[in-house]
Amino acid sequence: QVQLVESGGGLVQAGGSLRLSCAASGRTFSRYAMGWFRQAPGKEREFVATITWSGGNTGYADSVKGRFTISRDNVKNTVYLQMNSLKPGDTAVYYCAVNRRGGLLISLDQYEYWGQGTQVTVSS
């Protein structure tokens, strides 16, 4: 069992930056790939970014590529999402999740142990 707690969300103006954190419990965190997803009001949850267990490989949705960076610290059991050049369209609740299958997966049903989410609101 892995428990995830996201933090770092908030209200920011367009063009600004935020850094989200996802703290994981459990000693096996470093063995798992991780992902960030988001869900805007009235929309389905969508993939944002993913990172392998070692941090050596990452993947991004086209909508955030070049603006967002996923990283992890396996000593601190934490995965991060640095978000730059934010747009109103990035407004959503952001979730982190565990991928025990490994690799760079982008489908929701391939992830388990979701966090409760953190709200990101970007004003124009």
Side-chain angles (χ1 to χ4, degrees):
Q1 187 84 13
V2 178
Q3 292 184 327
L4 305 172
V5 179
E6 300 97 334
S7 62
L11 174 63
V12 63
Q13 289 188 332
S17 299
L18 283 174
R19 188 196 197 200
L20 305 184
S21 299
C22 172
S25 65
R27 293 177 293 177
T28 56
F29 169 80
S30 62
R31 295 165 52 184
Y32 300 143
M34 298 292 295
W36 283 99
F37 292 78
R38 66 186 182 185
Q39 188 166 17
K43 295 187 177 181
E44 295 185 349
R45 194 170 299 188
E46 65 177 6
F47 166 75
V48 174
T50 182
I51 188 167
T52 53
W53 69 270
S54 67
N57 289 287
T58 57
Y60 299 92
D62 287 343
S63 59
V64 307
K65 202 172 294 183
R67 300 188 298 121
F68 290 11
T69 302
I70 188 172
S71 62
R72 67 189 296 161
D73 185 333
N74 286 341
V75 174
K76 296 182 178 180
N77 277 12
T78 302
V79 63
Y80 304 98
L81 186 68
Q82 177 66 44
M83 306 186 296
N84 299 329
S85 302
L86 283 162
K87 306 174 181 180
D90 295 318
T91 295
V93 177
Y94 284 71
Y95 300 88
C96 63
V98 171
N99 160 21
R100 296 202 293 174
R101 305 184 188 200
L104 299 176
L105 303 179
I106 65 172
S107 296
L108 275 73
D109 58 4
Q110 295 170 316
Y111 285 78
E112 51 193 306
Y113 303 130
W114 295 80
Q116 85 290 346
T118 185
Q119 175 71 48
V120 171
T121 303
V122 184
S123 63
S124 57

